[in-house]
Amino acid sequence: MPGSARRPDALPERARIVLKIGSSSLTRPDGGLDLNRIDVISALVAGLRGRGHDVVLVASGAVAAGLPTLGMVQRPAELRLLQAAASVGQSRIMGRWEASMSVRGLVAAQVLLTAHDVAVRDHYRTVRETFDALLSMGAVPVVNENDAVANTEFNLGDNDYLAALVSHLVTADLLILFTDVDGLWTARPGSAGAEPIRLVTDPAHLASVDVTGRGSSLGTGGMRTKVQAATLACSSGTATIIASAADAVEILGGAQVPQDKGTWFLPTGPHRPSRRLWMAHASLPQGRVLVDDGAAQAVTVGKKSLLLPGVIGVDGDFESGSVIEIVGATGLLARGICRYSAADLREVLEARRDGTPAPDHVTPVIHRDDLAELPRTA
């Protein structure tokens, strides 16, 4: 990767760490829970806690854990069957985490999230406060989306994104995404010319890297979702490692992190206030505005407010005070709290097209203080 930055050889001291381990890493080939892997991860979490780290665990596997009990041999496509499997499997997998951690002196705390919990600002604050309380008392939050009630239209998506969102919620220093592949490669591992990428200083440098590999039959994510999650986390000050769960002991078990294991993504931006994080990654936009190149430049490069002259289109039906998206010629640029309703903006645009005097508005469409720029993801 371009740049002269050096890959760290150790975890940050007394860091707040989010560990995500996926379904493919927690289940055996026959679909049952891999109890040994759960015990290994629990022991590593205990070791991290003993070295002064805070740890949040984002654990997939509820659906996979419920399939054998319900007599299903593969992940179903029908939503109600997925929810049924999750309902059965969630208690099974959480029970195993609790048992495995308790013998090591840890308190496991189940946190099941829905999209509504983070999309609504007041709920988002409550979730942050819950995490802060649990971590301050030494508990290990075990997080998953509440798949038993999530629907396809309003959910948090795969657990890679959920882990990135949790890293924002707890202001993590490091996000580790454990998978069944040894980090990011230039092409599918095993194919001709494929080489591992051990350090990424800027996800923009990955434009030529093939990350189209799909997830396993038991999971929902693939390498693309992990790179997107890393991009989101790094943009807000959280370094990220993508690594094989088989290498977890080598990566987390000692003072040094091997240089030849996994891919380390360096932060590309500072930690941001929770309000901006919520706008950027958790809010539910009510509409969008299309802006010209000058406005796009002002918002992204100039770090300025979005003004009326730069708006060239409106989509959606929203009121003043709603979170909306800002879209330019290159795609999605930012989210922010709009100070106009969609009707007000359309009135201005119609007057502009008709050549008639536009309503006298001087307030910014989105003030800089209410704007959160978005990282570009592959």
Side-chain angles (χ1 to χ4, degrees):
M1 291 292 100
S4 58
R6 181 175 176 272
R7 171 175 162 143
D9 57 10
L11 303 180
E13 291 188 9
R14 303 187 70 83
R16 180 163 288 186
I17 301 172
V18 175
L19 301 180
K20 183 265 179 178
I21 183 162
S23 299
S24 62
S25 301
L26 287 178
T27 51
R28 304 187 305 264
D30 64 0
L33 285 177
D34 187 339
L35 303 184
N36 290 333
R37 179 62 56 77
I38 290 176
D39 285 340
V40 167
I41 296 298
S42 296
L44 290 172
V45 170
L48 291 171
R49 291 285 303 140
R51 287 166 13 221
H53 299 293
D54 287 337
V55 181
V56 179
L57 181 65
V58 178
S60 304
V63 172
L67 295 181
T69 303
L70 294 176
M72 290 185 276
V73 296
Q74 61 184 8
R75 185 184 179 94
E78 193 173 346
L79 177 61
R80 67 185 184 90
L81 297 180
L82 284 170
Q83 291 173 324
S87 298
V88 172
Q90 187 60 55
S91 60
R92 292 188 68 213
I93 198 167
M94 187 60 204
R96 186 60 200 183
W97 282 119
E98 185 176 20
S100 185
M101 288 191 184
S102 65
V103 298
R104 295 171 173 86
L106 300 176
V107 175
Q110 184 176 47
V111 180
L112 294 178
L113 297 177
T114 67
H116 187 77
D117 292 328
V118 294
V120 178
R121 175 63 179 158
D122 287 345
H123 290 217
Y124 181 87
R125 283 200 298 264
T126 299
V127 172
R128 281 180 60 90
E129 290 166 0
T130 299
F131 276 118
D132 286 343
L134 289 170
L135 291 170
S136 69
M137 291 186 286
V140 179
V142 181
V143 187
N144 195 8
E145 182 168 10
N146 193 348
D147 293 321
V149 298
N151 60 53
T152 55
E153 294 180 356
F154 192 41
N155 62 15
L156 289 167
D158 62 85
N159 271 17
D160 296 316
Y161 175 77
L162 175 60
L165 182 59
V166 169
S167 74
H168 293 157
L169 281 163
V170 303
T171 317
D173 301 294
L174 180 65
L175 167 64
I176 302 177
L177 302 173
F178 281 127
T179 181
D180 49 7
V181 180
D182 177 26
L184 181 63
W185 289 58
T186 56
R188 184 180 292 275
S191 61
E195 296 181 353
I197 298 171
R198 297 305 181 195
L199 177 66
V200 177
T201 58
D202 185 342
H205 299 155
L206 299 177
S208 62
V209 176
D210 180 11
V211 293
T212 57
R214 298 180 63 84
S216 73
S217 61
L218 291 170
T220 59
M223 189 54 67
R224 178 182 294 277
T225 68
K226 289 168 181 59
V227 171
Q228 290 174 336
T231 301
L232 294 178
C234 290
S235 70
S236 297
T238 300
T240 302
I241 299 173
I242 300 175
S244 171
D247 296 326
V249 173
E250 292 183 70
I251 292 172
L252 299 179
Q256 302 294 308
V257 176
Q259 296 288 304
D260 62 345
K261 302 293 183 182
T263 302
W264 198 308
F265 292 72
L266 299 182
T268 56
H271 285 303
R272 292 195 280 178
S274 63
R275 184 166 175 269
R276 278 205 166 99
L277 289 176
W278 170 76
M279 282 191 290
H281 304 300
S283 63
L284 186 64
Q286 301 300 304
R288 54 175 49 190
V289 291
L290 181 64
V291 299
D292 61 24
D293 291 342
Q297 183 84 355
V299 167
T300 58
V301 179
K303 311 300 181 186
K304 297 179 179 178
S305 302
L306 174 61
L307 305 179
L308 266 173
V311 176
I312 58 177
V314 182
D315 183 28
D317 184 14
F318 51 87
E319 298 298 325
S320 173
S322 300
V323 175
I324 66 170
E325 296 176 331
I326 302 174
V327 180
T330 60
L332 185 59
L333 304 175
R335 288 179 179 174
I337 299 175
C338 188
R339 301 192 176 190
Y340 294 83
S341 68
D344 289 337
L345 293 176
R346 288 193 176 97
E347 186 179 7
V348 172
L349 294 178
E350 288 171 6
R352 189 186 298 168
R353 283 193 295 268
D354 296 340
T356 59
D360 187 16
H361 295 307
V362 295
T363 302
V365 177
I366 300 177
H367 192 276
R368 185 67 210 174
D369 293 342
D370 297 328
L371 191 148
E373 191 175 344
L374 298 177
R376 300 303 301 273
T377 58

